[in-house]
């Protein structure tokens, strides 16, 4: 980097060591602060972030991009602030990286405002809470795990159970009926998935109300570790300055934790449980606690969370659970049976004081019916359905129809299934479950309930109730 003449504000140091993405820099006093952005290389194209102070004159940094051609004694400039990204309404319809640079070949972002990615959470006195339900149009979620407007919901699951498909469907459903701004943050995403999502949003006509930010899988851990903070800065701008409601979708929070583990290892910190960084809880809280609502607008977040080896006791999963108002666990067992979305869920919103008494009653009755069916499965597999009492056979009949009714065709999978996606209102979901529980459709075969929208779409095929026997 060309060394300019110093002014009182300029603060230069020089590189003393480079180990992959870890760079040590010597500075004369006063030392720059943690999280400050440093620039090195030709035209300052290598961006470093200070992670720790090693001694009175040396800082250890993590590189947010490639350190190629960076060597010892290279001059480094302290910008005096954290990494800043562009904010403004001109971001709508654009795809950005962690630095706020365009990834969509539409030219540079035209905005004068830039905000630092590290910002304190909203003070408690300025936060507001509410009990408003945020409908998704997905039957199983709206019935069992209603989302809170201004809350945080997490979708937990191992590999291949449908997290990304569910996130994409929520974008498709919500963006069409949502009046606010949609912000998608891809942490550790595959480049193929980013391209597919961009084209999908473009085709569905919702891109002009959305901002996409990516820290892709091929980028250094520092970039993946900070893209979540960059996305939250954009969300906070729309909430506080433009005063719009924001829908923040994150895929995948585990990749944020994973990139933090990589950064921690590169920094030489001693690992904690299961090899995670000792600062896991603090780093996660610094991200999650910025997701909140003010009097100006709300930030509603839906987050996909990969669960290693389907183990919900993994430290990454347990720490994330603590921050959420709704938890949606995707079941591999249900997915293997073809029951999509494969949801087992819980929400603090599912209480009689928040949802309607009718909604609460129906949800609890459906859960009870499905639980009784689960208990009867061993008897059915050993002795057969005929050995059950009449009441138990009726319970099994209702449970199997409810299981199938709570499946749903998705718009994002239409090209693979040949079925048009269905968006179902909460009232239609409750009505359908009530009618099944009442035994109204006892003479209609189970297959007729599979992958339909509302109960009004049910075709009375006249199939024998026993044509699909439980346990087969």
């Amino acid at each position: 980097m060309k060394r300019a003449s110093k002014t009182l504000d300029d603060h230069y140091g020089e590189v003393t060591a480079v180990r992959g993405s870890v760079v040590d820099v010597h500075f004369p006093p006063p030392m720059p602060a943690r999280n400050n952005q440093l620039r090195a290389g030709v035209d300052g194209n290598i961006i470093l972030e200070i992670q720790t102070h090693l001694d009175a004159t040396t800082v250890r940094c993590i590189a947010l991009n490639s350190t190629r051609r960076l060597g010892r004694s290279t001059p480094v400039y302290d910008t005096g602030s954290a990494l800043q990204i562009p904010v403004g309404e001109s971001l709508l319809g654009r795809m950005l990286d962690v630095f706020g640079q365009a990834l969509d070949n539409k030219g540079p972002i035209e905005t004068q405002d830039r905000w630092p990615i590290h910002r304190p959470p909203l003070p408690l006195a300025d936060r507001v809470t509410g009990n408003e339900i945020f409908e998704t149009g997905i039957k199983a979620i709206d019935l069992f795990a209603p989302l809170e407007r201004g809350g945080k919901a997490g979708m937990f699951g191992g590999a291949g159970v449908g997290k990304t498909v569910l996130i994409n469907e929520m974008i498709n459903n919500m963006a069409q009926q949502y009046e606010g701004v949609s912000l998608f943050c891809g942490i550790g995403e595959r480049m193929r998935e980013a391209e597919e999502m961009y084209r999908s949003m473009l085709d569905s006509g919702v891109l002009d109300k959305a901002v996409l930010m990516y820290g892709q899988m091929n980028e250094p851990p520092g970039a993946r570790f900070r893209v979540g903070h960059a996305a939250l800065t954009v969300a906070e701008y729309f909430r506080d300055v433009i005063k719009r409601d924001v829908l923040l979708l994150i895929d995948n929070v585990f990749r944020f934790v994973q990139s933090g583990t990589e950064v921690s290892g590169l920094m030489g910190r001693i690992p904690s449980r299961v090899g995670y960084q000792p600062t896991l809880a603090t780093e996660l809280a610094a991200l999650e606690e910025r997701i909140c609502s003010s009097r100006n607008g709300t930030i509603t977040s839906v987050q996909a969370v990969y669960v290693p080896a389907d183990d919900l006791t993994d430290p990454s999963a347990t720490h994330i659970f603590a921050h959420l108002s709704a938890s949606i666990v995707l079941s591999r067992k249900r997915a293997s049976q073809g029951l999509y979305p494969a949801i087992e869920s819980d929400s603090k919103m599912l209480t009689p004081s928040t949802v309607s008494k009718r909604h609460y009653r129906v949800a609890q009755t459906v859960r009870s019916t499905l639980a009784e069916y689960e208990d009867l499965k061993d008897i059915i597999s050993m002795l057969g359905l005929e050995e059950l009492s009449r009441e138990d056979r009726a319970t099994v009949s209702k449970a199997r129809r409810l299981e199938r009714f709570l499946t749903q065709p998705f718009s994002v999978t239409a090209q693979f299934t040949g079925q048009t996606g269905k968006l179902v209102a909460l009232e239609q979901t409750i009505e359908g479950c009530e009618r099944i529980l009442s035994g109204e459709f006892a003479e209609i075969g189970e297959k007729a309930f599979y992958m339909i929208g509302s109960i009004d779409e049910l075709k009375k095929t006249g199939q024998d109730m026993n044509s699909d026997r439980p346990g087969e």
Side-chain angles (χ1 to χ4, degrees):
M1 182 173 75
K2 194 180 213 176
R3 193 154 181 163
S5 60
K6 293 186 183 181
T7 66
L8 289 175
D9 294 328
D10 286 345
H11 195 189
Y12 283 87
E14 63 179 26
V15 175
T16 58
V18 181
R19 293 180 300 279
S21 293
V22 179
V23 181
D24 291 349
V25 183
H26 172 82
F27 275 99
M31 293 278 278
R34 281 189 69 244
N35 293 330
N36 267 19
Q37 176 195 183
L38 310 181
R39 287 184 171 267
V42 179
D43 299 324
N45 60 343
I46 298 174
I47 300 174
L48 312 173
E49 182 181 272
I50 297 176
Q51 290 288 308
T52 186
H53 292 173
L54 293 182
D55 54 43
T57 60
T58 309
V59 295
R60 179 159 288 173
C61 313
I62 192 77
L64 302 187
N65 52 6
S66 173
T67 56
R68 190 180 179 191
R69 300 186 186 281
L70 187 67
R72 294 179 65 182
S73 300
T74 301
V76 178
Y77 174 64
D78 171 28
T79 62
S81 70
L83 175 67
Q84 297 188 343
I85 61 165
V87 291
E89 292 189 272
S90 58
L91 270 62
L92 292 172
R94 304 301 300 271
M95 182 190 287
L96 319 171
D97 63 11
V98 66
F99 308 113
Q101 297 170 343
L103 298 174
D104 51 13
N105 296 323
K106 290 184 178 179
I109 306 296
E110 296 178 1
T111 179
Q112 300 299 317
D113 294 329
R114 299 183 74 89
W115 281 16
I117 66 169
H118 295 286
R119 293 166 50 80
L122 202 66
L124 286 176
D126 296 335
R127 299 190 184 199
V128 296
T129 57
N131 290 326
E132 190 179 348
I133 299 298
F134 193 88
E135 283 194 38
T136 65
I138 299 172
K139 289 183 284 189
I141 292 177
D142 289 342
L143 180 68
F144 292 134
L147 306 189
E148 175 188 6
R149 184 178 289 274
K152 289 171 275 194
M155 291 189 296
F156 295 79
V161 293
K163 297 184 300 299
T164 300
V165 169
L166 204 49
I167 278 275
N168 289 352
E169 184 68 11
M170 283 189 171
I171 292 172
N172 187 74
N173 288 2
M174 293 177 178
Q176 291 180 19
Q177 59 182 351
Y178 190 60
E179 296 178 358
V181 173
S182 298
L183 174 58
F184 180 83
C185 175
I187 305 176
E189 282 284 274
R190 301 170 184 86
M191 288 182 283
R192 169 186 57 80
E193 291 176 341
E195 195 269 345
E196 286 176 356
M197 175 168 290
Y198 182 82
R199 291 192 182 280
S200 172
M201 295 182 77
L202 185 63
D203 293 342
S204 60
V206 300
L207 187 61
D208 59 346
K209 294 194 297 180
V211 181
L212 287 79
M213 298 197 72
Y214 285 95
Q216 296 174 100
M217 196 176 277
N218 64 324
E219 295 187 44
R224 288 181 272 123
F225 190 44
R226 292 307 185 206
V227 69
H229 293 277
L232 272 166
T233 298
V234 175
E236 288 168 346
Y237 178 87
F238 279 107
R239 180 195 66 193
D240 298 335
V241 178
I242 309 298
K243 299 185 178 178
R244 301 273 296 276
D245 289 342
V246 180
L247 174 61
L248 174 64
L249 299 117
I250 304 176
D251 189 8
N252 178 315
V253 179
F254 175 77
R255 303 293 177 206
F256 168 78
V257 173
Q258 192 176 47
S259 58
T261 304
E262 293 177 51
V263 169
S264 180
L266 290 168
M267 290 289 117
R269 299 179 188 131
I270 298 172
S272 183
R273 284 182 56 206
V274 202
Y276 287 107
Q277 63 269 43
T279 51
L280 170 61
T282 307
E283 291 169 358
L284 199 56
L287 182 77
E288 294 283 358
E289 289 308 303
R290 288 175 63 183
I291 304 173
C292 57
S293 301
S294 70
R295 294 174 183 84
N296 296 321
T298 63
I299 299 179
T300 304
S301 175
V302 181
Q303 310 168 15
V305 185
Y306 169 73
V307 181
D310 292 344
D311 180 13
L312 290 170
T313 63
D314 187 88
S316 63
T318 55
H319 280 90
I320 294 168
F321 269 122
H323 294 280
L324 304 176
S325 56
S327 305
I328 300 164
V329 178
L330 299 177
S331 162
R332 189 171 299 280
K333 181 179 176 183
R334 287 178 62 81
S336 67
Q337 295 170 342
L339 300 172
Y340 290 104
I343 287 173
E344 297 172 358
S345 51
D346 182 46
S347 171
K348 74 171 191 179
M349 301 297 285
L350 191 59
T351 61
S353 59
T354 305
V355 300
S356 67
K357 291 182 179 178
R358 179 187 175 211
H359 179 175
Y360 179 77
R361 185 187 70 251
V362 170
Q364 294 302 96
T365 308
V366 170
R367 273 188 173 159
S368 174
T369 304
L370 295 175
E372 285 181 49
Y373 173 42
E374 198 65 33
D375 292 339
L376 292 169
K377 279 184 177 178
D378 287 340
I379 299 174
I380 295 168
S381 62
M382 289 186 293
L383 303 177
L385 182 65
E386 293 76 12
E387 297 302 315
L388 298 180
S389 66
R390 180 178 295 177
E391 290 79 8
D392 285 345
R393 284 202 298 272
T395 298
V396 170
S397 171
K398 293 173 187 176
R400 288 180 65 85
R401 282 157 177 76
L402 286 167
E403 277 186 337
R404 283 148 183 77
F405 174 66
L406 291 173
T407 63
Q408 192 167 341
F410 285 170
S411 297
V412 295
T413 59
Q415 58 182 319
F416 306 110
T417 63
Q419 291 181 288
T420 306
K422 302 289 174 62
L423 192 148
V424 184
L426 174 60
E427 183 62 30
Q428 293 175 315
T429 301
I430 295 171
E431 180 194 352
C433 291
E434 275 183 332
R435 293 173 68 181
I436 293 170
L437 288 168
S438 70
E440 180 179 337
F441 306 107
E443 299 303 321
I444 297 178
E446 298 163 5
K447 288 182 180 178
F449 294 82
Y450 185 65
M451 288 294 172
I452 63 171
S454 68
I455 200 70
D456 295 330
E457 296 177 25
L458 189 65
K459 295 177 181 177
K460 299 194 175 184
T461 58
Q463 295 173 354
D464 188 327
M465 183 178 65
N466 295 323
S467 60
D468 298 303
R469 299 171 77 82
E472 284 188 355

